[in-house]
Structure formats: structure tokens, C-alpha cells
Amino acid sequence: MTADTPVASAFEFGGSINADRAPILFVTAQMIQSRCRGRFADASEFYYKGKPRRLRVWDEDFFVADAVIISGDDFGELMRPLRGSFDTLANEIEHLEDRLRRMPPGSEVVVPQSISAAASAALMKLVGLSDSQKRVLEALRCVAGQTCRVSVVSYGVPAIVGQRSRLPDDIAPLFVLDASARVSETYPIMMRAGVPIELMPYAPLSYSSATFYHLRRGAGRTAIANPAVRASLIAEAAAVINAAPGDDHLVVYNRVNGVDLPKELKLACKGAGGVEFLYWGDHRAKNDYRHIRRVVCVGLLRFPEAGYDAQHLKSGGGLANRLTDVTALRDSELCSVMLQAFARSNMRNHGDLECGNCEIYIIDNERRLPSLLGRAFPGSAVQEWKPLNSKLAPRQSEILDHLLSITAGDLSKGINKSSVYNRLGIEKSNFSKLINDERFRTAAAKQGIIIEPRRFVRHSS
């Protein structure tokens, strides 16, 4: 059951649109959170034969509450549409934003109760609001009157983190099926907060058939957005993929606006086997890649500070233990996302408590990654991923030296490849082999030189 379950879909799968007559009822976590305002026993839309259902099963991440994050930039989005019609609300939001920017992360701020009714009125009366502006007004309506936590989102922008809704205590007894529970810190936080949780035994799966290779280098969104750094990362990933041309590969990466990393990496992997791509945020509950034995991860997934504060608040964590708990959450979330993403591969084809054979290549700057991998994948092996040999052949050095001799202004505009190989007296076919070698690409990338299909371009940043 969802808010708009079509009748045809219910019948197609042999179900009923009458929830009270259905022995098994599938609902979303969001629907449970929105409909259970008081007690679960009072949410009659979930009844079976006129009574609350006795068996409740929750799939994946479980939190006792839902949280909302509102950044200082979100506040700024509202000023133009509110001015003129809702000046009082605009002034209150502006004052709240000003206070927020002067408060350190970890402190608390009270959102005025008066914002609730005004935000509701603005949502009803204002025409032409964007989806983003509607989301912010709805979030403000939810947290009005609350004591919220001050945190930060990307690029150091301040934010408030508040609680949107909380599950009723009588949701228990509830079975939670969470593949990451073994490494998650959220359940211990909930238990310390007084939530009655009993951790069940888990199968002692061994990961001795998994081998991890770690290249310690920055590969987050900032690194990927930098053309020169990205070229170096792509050269390293391509070298691994091209070394096993007969194998399929799964590439896990961070998406960055304006960057088509899959396209650039495919160009560097000509002649390799199938290469599939999975971006962070879409790394759960997929079985399409379970045949793939080799995985390349270009940067792990991390959240802004407000993301961890939101998880802490959703787990019932208090401000007194914030620093300790959030530090533990950062580690446990890294373990959790790695477990979720890498288990999309042949790793998930386990038998006799032994994971499927796989090789995972990770580019990331996390110095404690070996210990975190040991926590997430007990019994696995972790080896150093040695970067490409930067020693160039004489002809390659000659090409690079020539490019570096060109003035920065001219090279930033782009230099045709033909002008380079004609100037140096190198045959076109041999020239292509020399510059497409991963060693040359890496050496060029370190100098900020990008190799495009027909030219060389130097980026200053």
C-alpha cells in the first residue's frame, strides 16, 4: 500500500485493495512514519480484520525517528517568493539564518513556533513555488517549536537538523532485517537511548575469498571535479581494467555535476571486457552485477557533517554524547556503504558461510581503510595498490617535455596532436600508442594536461 496504489497493480499481483482483508500488507517506511501520529494500534489503515497486525517486519535501515536538514542556502531560496506577501515569515527566517551562521556546530537553536502556521499558509497561497522551495517550507513547518541541532553541510554551509516525526513505542514487537546491522553504530546508539532492541545472532560469513587493493589517493567529489586529478584517477582505474581484458568489471564512483566519469573511463578502457557503473546513492538492493568478480571503486561515499547529525538524531542520540557518537557513526557508515556496494558483485554468491571470490580495488585517501575493511569483511586480505610506474620511455618524455615547453596560455586553449607529432617527427600510429599508454596519461595528468580525442589541453586547476 502506498498513497496512490493503483487498483490494477494490486490485482495484477494477486492482491487486494482492501488492506483489512490482506493477510500480508507491504507499506513504505514513510507511510508508517506519516500515519502513526499517536499509537500504532490507532492506525486503522494498517489493520487486519479490524485489529492491529501482530507481526511486523521492517526491511533495511531502521530508525526510531525521521530527521530533516535545512541549510542556510535553503533559507536564502525563500526570500524572493515570501517578500511582499509573507514579510513577517521572511523576517523570522532571515533572523533564524543570521543566528545560525553565528553559532558553532553542535550547539542548539530554537525554531520559533510561529513559523509553523505561516509556512503552512505560504504553501497554500503562494503560486509558482519550486519543488525545492516547497520542501524547505514543509521542513520548517515540521521543526517549528523544536530545539534543533546546528551542523554544517557541503562547503561549510551552516544547517539545522531537526526531527520530522517519531515512531510510536507500540510499533514493537518489530523484526528488523538489516544487512548492515553487524557494522552499524545506530543500533547501539538507540539502545543507549533506551530503545528496547535485542540484537539477534548473525551468520559468521567469512570473506577470506575477497582481496582488497588500496591506492591511497583523494578521489572524492572535489578530486573528480578537477580535470587533471580526474585524468590521473581514470588512468589508474583503466590500468586495472585493461590488465584483465577478458573479465567484466563494476566501477563504483561519486557522481559530480558536469562530469561524465563513465564516458571518460570507457574511452580509456578500449578493448576491455564489459564495464558496468554504479554510483553512490544507487548502491543498494541490486542483483544485476552478481556475476562480476572485479570491482573498482573511485572514491568512497561520505556525508556532510549534517548527515551524521541527522543519523544521530534519528537514532535518539543526545547532545551530550554527540562528538563520540558522530565519530563512531562516520566509521560505521563507511563500513556499511562498502558492505552494501561491494556485495553487489560476485561476493554475494556465497555458500558454506564463505563469500564468493572477488577482487576489490579502492582509490581513497582513508588512512585507516585496512582496519575498516577488516571490520566490514572479516577474514579478507588487504594489499597495497601500487600506482602506475611514472618512468616514461624516451619518446614519451620527449612528447611531455615539448608540451611543457608550450606557453600556458597557448596550451590552455588546446594544441592539436598533429602539430606535436609532426614537430617531433613521430609517426601518427606510434604517437597514438605512446600517448595512450597509462604511464604517459598519468604523467601528463600530474602536470594538468588532459588528452582529448584530437588535442592536448592544460588545466590550471
Side-chain angles (χ1 to χ4, degrees):
M1 179 172 71
T2 64
D4 56 352
T5 299
V7 175
S9 294
F11 287 140
E12 179 184 353
F13 293 101
S16 167
I17 59 170
N18 188 336
D20 190 71
R21 296 179 183 175
I24 301 173
L25 178 65
F26 291 89
V27 300
T28 63
Q30 289 77 13
M31 179 168 281
I32 293 286
Q33 290 163 338
S34 64
R35 303 294 175 89
C36 296
R37 294 300 184 185
R39 300 191 311 146
F40 178 78
D42 296 333
S44 58
E45 53 263 75
F46 303 137
Y47 282 4
Y48 175 54
K49 294 184 177 180
K51 296 180 180 180
R53 294 173 185 268
R54 298 177 62 186
L55 175 63
R56 278 93 78 173
V57 180
W58 188 286
D59 189 35
E60 294 296 346
D61 298 342
F62 172 78
F63 295 96
V64 292
D66 190 22
V68 61
I69 301 171
I70 312 172
S71 74
D73 290 346
D74 291 333
F75 289 135
E77 273 193 61
L78 297 177
M79 292 301 104
R80 184 182 292 273
L82 291 180
R83 290 297 184 195
S85 301
F86 292 88
D87 285 329
T88 301
L89 175 58
N91 291 336
E92 282 192 297
I93 292 174
E94 199 169 48
H95 179 61
L96 178 61
E97 180 186 4
D98 181 62
R99 290 175 59 201
L100 176 63
R101 293 188 182 279
R102 291 185 282 108
M103 300 178 73
S107 54
E108 293 182 324
V109 61
V110 177
V111 179
Q113 179 63 53
S114 55
I115 284 181
S116 178
S120 296
L123 283 166
M124 291 179 59
K125 296 180 180 180
L126 288 178
V127 178
L129 289 173
S130 68
D131 289 342
S132 176
Q133 290 165 339
K134 292 177 183 177
R135 179 191 64 79
V136 178
L137 282 170
E138 176 61 28
L140 281 169
R141 188 192 65 78
C142 290
V143 301
Q146 283 189 36
T147 299
C148 293
R149 189 173 299 178
V150 176
S151 190
V152 292
V153 291
S154 300
Y155 305 108
V157 176
I160 59 172
V161 184
Q163 196 174 97
R164 188 195 304 270
S165 60
R166 187 178 178 89
L167 290 175
D169 290 339
D170 71 334
I171 193 73
L174 178 74
F175 286 94
V176 177
L177 309 178
D178 185 352
S180 301
R182 174 176 58 83
V183 298
S184 176
E185 189 64 26
T186 57
Y187 297 103
I189 292 174
M190 283 188 272
M191 292 167 71
R192 290 194 292 272
V195 180
I197 293 177
E198 180 181 350
L199 297 177
M200 307 300 289
Y202 57 86
L205 183 66
S206 169
Y207 291 87
S208 59
S209 295
T211 303
F212 291 88
Y213 299 87
H214 179 208
L215 174 58
R216 191 177 170 193
R217 184 177 296 178
R221 290 185 176 90
T222 301
I224 291 174
N226 184 310
V229 176
R230 183 171 70 253
S232 176
L233 297 174
I234 287 174
E236 296 288 356
V240 168
I241 295 171
N242 291 332
D247 289 344
D248 290 337
H249 290 79
L250 174 63
V251 178
V252 184
Y253 69 103
N254 283 293
R255 285 205 301 183
V256 175
N257 290 335
V259 175
D260 193 343
L261 188 141
K263 180 180 178 180
E264 295 182 26
L265 185 52
K266 282 181 179 179
L267 288 174
C269 296
K270 292 180 179 178
V275 182
E276 303 287 347
F277 293 87
L278 184 68
Y279 61 85
W280 289 115
D282 191 36
H283 59 279
R284 293 170 174 261
K286 287 183 177 291
N287 291 317
D288 301 344
Y289 315 115
R290 62 187 307 154
H291 64 287
I292 297 179
R293 193 179 62 84
R294 289 165 61 91
V295 178
V296 179
C297 175
V298 185
L300 294 171
L301 174 64
R302 290 175 177 80
F303 304 103
E305 190 78 2
Y308 298 110
D309 268 318
Q311 282 199 323
H312 191 231
L313 201 61
K314 291 194 297 183
S315 303
L319 198 61
N321 298 319
R322 174 184 175 271
L323 288 177
T324 302
D325 287 348
V326 168
T327 298
L329 277 171
R330 287 193 194 96
D331 286 352
S332 76
E333 280 305 298
L334 269 181
C335 292
S336 178
V337 298
M338 289 192 295
L339 191 59
Q340 290 282 354
F342 301 154
R344 300 306 107 207
S345 71
N346 188 60
M347 177 186 286
R348 70 186 299 104
N349 297 323
H350 54 79
D352 297 328
L353 300 180
E354 176 71 36
C355 80
N357 182 268
C358 57
E359 296 178 2
I360 317 290
Y361 296 80
I362 304 173
I363 308 176
D364 194 86
N365 204 32
E366 176 55 63
R367 62 179 178 80
R368 296 176 300 111
L369 187 60
S371 65
L372 294 175
L373 288 170
R375 172 179 169 182
F377 307 95
S380 63
V382 182
Q383 299 183 22
E384 179 186 2
W385 173 356
K386 294 184 180 180
L388 290 170
N389 184 359
S390 60
K391 186 176 180 180
L392 301 176
R395 274 300 212 181
Q396 290 175 321
S397 296
E398 186 180 358
I399 297 169
L400 186 59
D401 289 343
H402 174 72
L403 292 173
L404 294 176
S405 70
I406 299 172
T407 61
D410 289 340
L411 192 52
S412 66
K413 296 175 184 177
I415 298 295
N416 288 333
K417 292 179 180 179
S418 59
S419 67
V420 178
Y421 62 69
N422 286 331
R423 176 68 179 270
L424 299 178
I426 304 174
E427 291 184 3
K428 181 179 178 180
S429 59
N430 187 39
F431 183 81
S432 296
K433 292 178 182 178
L434 291 169
I435 65 171
N436 287 322
D437 181 86
E438 284 90 355
R439 292 174 300 175
F440 182 85
R441 286 182 170 274
T442 300
K446 288 179 179 178
Q447 299 295 333
I449 299 173
I450 307 303
I451 305 173
E452 295 184 350
R454 294 187 178 181
R455 62 180 191 159
F456 299 97
V457 180
R458 187 171 193 175
H459 293 264
S460 57
S461 61

